[in-house]
Amino acid sequence: MAASLEQLRRCHFAVDLGAARTRVYVKGAGLVVDQPSVAAVNTRNGALIAVGDFAERMTGRTPGYIRVVRPVSGGTVVDIEMAQRMLRHLLGEDMRRTLRRKTWLRAAACTPHDADPLAQRATVETLVGLGARRVELVDTLIAAAVGCGLPVERAEATMIMMCGAAATQVAVLSLGSIVNAERIPVGGEAIDHAIVQHLRHAHALVLPSQSVRPLQLALSGNGLTPHGPTSTEIHGRDVATGLARSVRIDTAAVREAIQTPLTTVLDGIYKVLRECPPDLVADLVDRGIMMVGGSALLPGLDEMLREATGMPVHIAERPELCAIQGLGAMLEGRIEPLILDPLGTC
């Protein structure tokens, strides 16, 4: 941990390549990029037309010769060349010129907890293509825990739940390291898909791509909880006629539709707790679970987890920014390294 932090302090910028959004932190400048991980490409000549917010608004609205792509999936770069092109445009010429002035450009990047060597290599090559001479990889769970202020360096348990778009990662940390962790291949996109399928089967309605997010489905008040609104009206396209149509849906049915992906997440939490030492699990009775990541903002999700586990569940102040903020704190030297000195011989 100490050596890793020392290397991170020498880095000039940090990147969090997520399936939903890409964030870049530059040392001394702070967060300079926070955009969707999307690019629009002209298939006729290969030209890059748009990236970030503009490219995401083009989803489902482009002619045949324009393709909207996502070069990152589940925290792993699946198209290195496109990821490099996207990052160059998101950074802009001025910021890239500033970084190029560094004599030995160093970068840091988040990687999922169980990322295999090929996935790690893809992340490294992406940043090397931007001019980085050395790339330090940091576990996303550690970075997010640091970013939301958890006392990860203490000899006591802290539990973090990273709610991503493509996957959910759960871990118990102590003494600056991960004691036990689990990556569940269910995230915000799986919940979106469950809601879309429910509306298609129960109401013969297809939602526009920009209206799929459960947060936009309507949920006000307490959202997806029994105490929330009983029904809400949504707009979409009729499956049979193709015409625009509005329907009023029962939010209790929506809650039931997303139980399957949420049950998978709960199974992952239970597995992590079963494999942890009893002393650490006892610490979690009072501290509970800290939720980070963009999907942590799904209305009512924290209450559902609280009822299922019987543990306190907290949402970080800016859950979607915790990982990049943690990396930034390491780059700026705001985190003291944990050094366990060996005892002298007696």
Side-chain angles (χ1 to χ4, degrees):
M1 186 71 172
S4 177
L5 278 175
E6 186 62 33
Q7 293 292 337
L8 287 169
R9 288 178 179 179
R10 300 177 185 175
C11 293
H12 302 99
F13 72 103
V15 179
D16 179 14
L17 283 167
R21 299 185 75 86
T22 292
R23 299 178 176 93
V24 180
Y25 185 103
V26 175
K27 193 173 185 177
L31 186 65
V32 298
V33 173
D34 184 3
Q35 295 277 340
S37 304
V38 187
V41 183
N42 186 328
T43 57
R44 293 174 179 171
N45 55 20
L48 196 63
I49 297 174
V51 295
D53 286 324
F54 187 34
E56 188 171 55
R57 289 196 298 270
M58 295 169 68
T59 304
R61 296 183 171 91
T62 61
Y65 68 92
I66 296 178
R67 186 166 59 99
V68 178
V69 297
R70 293 182 178 271
V72 184
S73 176
T76 301
V77 178
V78 293
D79 188 336
I80 296 175
E81 181 184 357
M82 187 56 63
Q84 290 174 349
R85 296 174 69 185
M86 180 185 72
L87 276 171
R88 288 192 193 103
H89 282 269
L90 289 176
L91 280 170
E93 183 60 34
D94 292 341
M95 184 55 67
R96 284 189 288 127
R97 188 181 300 112
T98 301
L99 292 175
R100 282 198 298 266
R101 293 195 186 106
K102 308 296 182 183
T103 54
W104 187 274
L105 187 61
R106 293 172 178 257
C110 288
T111 56
H113 174 67
D114 62 347
D116 56 48
L118 286 177
Q120 295 179 6
R121 184 66 183 171
T123 302
V124 171
E125 288 188 8
T126 299
L127 298 186
V128 167
L130 292 178
R133 304 292 295 274
R134 183 181 176 91
V135 179
E136 302 290 342
L137 299 180
V138 180
D139 195 303
T140 303
L141 293 167
I142 295 288
V146 170
C148 64
L150 290 178
V152 294
E153 76 283 355
R154 298 180 186 173
E156 54 190 38
T158 54
M159 190 169 190
I160 189 166
M161 178 175 170
M162 185 78 182
C163 307
T168 300
Q169 301 176 72
V170 183
V172 174
L173 302 95
S174 179
L175 287 174
S177 300
I178 295 175
V179 178
N180 192 27
E182 186 74 16
R183 185 177 186 271
I184 306 128
V186 172
E189 293 174 354
I191 295 175
D192 293 348
H193 182 72
I195 294 175
V196 168
Q197 291 302 310
H198 166 72
L199 295 175
R200 188 181 185 95
H201 295 151
H203 301 280
L205 195 74
V206 178
L207 284 183
S209 58
Q210 301 298 320
S211 303
V212 172
R213 294 300 300 167
L215 200 58
Q216 299 173 351
L217 269 184
L219 302 176
S220 58
N222 292 316
L224 292 176
T225 67
H227 312 294
T230 58
S231 65
T232 185
E233 186 174 0
I234 61 171
H235 310 283
R237 188 187 70 188
D238 189 275
V239 172
T241 65
L243 299 175
R245 183 162 63 91
S246 299
V247 296
R248 180 160 287 277
I249 63 170
D250 182 10
T251 53
V254 175
R255 288 200 303 274
E256 185 176 352
I258 67 172
Q259 282 304 311
T260 299
L262 289 181
T263 299
T264 306
V265 173
L266 286 174
D267 290 342
I269 294 175
Y270 296 151
K271 183 178 179 181
V272 170
L273 292 174
R274 282 197 305 269
E275 297 177 359
C276 270
D279 290 341
L280 292 181
V281 176
D283 290 343
L284 297 173
V285 172
D286 296 327
R287 295 189 182 87
I289 305 171
M290 176 66 75
M291 295 175 61
V292 298
S295 297
L297 296 172
L298 178 64
L301 178 57
D302 57 331
E303 184 172 331
M304 295 173 75
L305 291 176
R306 195 175 295 117
E307 292 176 357
T309 62
M311 297 166 57
V313 178
H314 315 282
I315 301 177
E317 185 176 351
R318 296 288 301 277
E320 70 280 7
L321 298 180
C322 286
I324 194 65
Q325 286 177 341
L327 276 180
M330 295 176 189
L331 262 63
E332 303 285 2
R334 295 196 296 267
I335 306 300
E336 290 297 325
L338 174 68
I339 301 176
L340 299 177
D341 293 322
L343 296 176
T345 56
C346 297

